[in-house]
Amino acid sequence: MRGLRRLGLMFGIAACAGACGAGWRRAGDGDGHWSRATTFGRAEHVLDRLGASEEQRARVRVVLSRSFTELEPWPDLGRRLRADLLAAWRTEHPDSDALHARVDTEVEALRSLGHALVDDGVTLHAALTPAQRAHLVELAARRHRHRSR
């Protein structure tokens, strides 16, 4: 069970970082095509290394598509939140209650997103065999060791 949660968390973090981070900005027009294409390409590469079947690939594509759909509004929401906070800072007397309510709304939305991404990770976990999952964990560990140098 602990490994299942870890995989869900790894997927959630990777998907969130990929979709909310540099990929969206590099797309230039803000629609995230670069990030989506890159992520799907990398997923296909990993699935090749895992020896995934066509059925497994189809399941993974569905989950990745759903995850990107869940993540699409986040870059714009972050920009709007920053703009609202700056606007409040420019006022003589910021509305503390409104700002707290806005933060509470954002935190709840992020919690919902996190749960959805973990669910997507669990779905991916179920799509792979135990041997494929073990190989995937090893690939991720190797990548992490390489990047942390």
Side-chain angles (χ1 to χ4, degrees), residues 10 135-147:
M10 284 173 35
H135 190 193
L136 181 61
V137 169
E138 179 54 36
L139 290 173
R142 248 189 274 155
R143 184 175 174 106
H144 176 72
R145 281 192 303 270
H146 174 71
R147 287 184 167 219

Side-chain angles (χ1 to χ4, degrees), residues 4 7-9 11-12 63 67 116-126:
L4 183 67
L7 181 66
L9 181 61
F11 174 79
V63 172
S67 296
L117 291 174
V118 167
D119 290 344
D120 290 345
V122 170
T123 301
L124 288 177
H125 182 275

Side-chain angles (χ1 to χ4, degrees), residues 5 9-10 17 20 29 32 34 44 48 50 52 56 73 78 90 93 105 110 115-116 124 131 133 141:
R5 279 186 257 150
L9 181 61
M10 284 173 35
C20 292
D29 57 2
W34 180 88
E44 288 297 328
D48 287 344
L50 297 177
Q56 289 174 312
R90 290 181 181 117
H93 301 285
T105 299
L110 185 58
H115 285 283
L124 288 177
R133 289 192 299 264

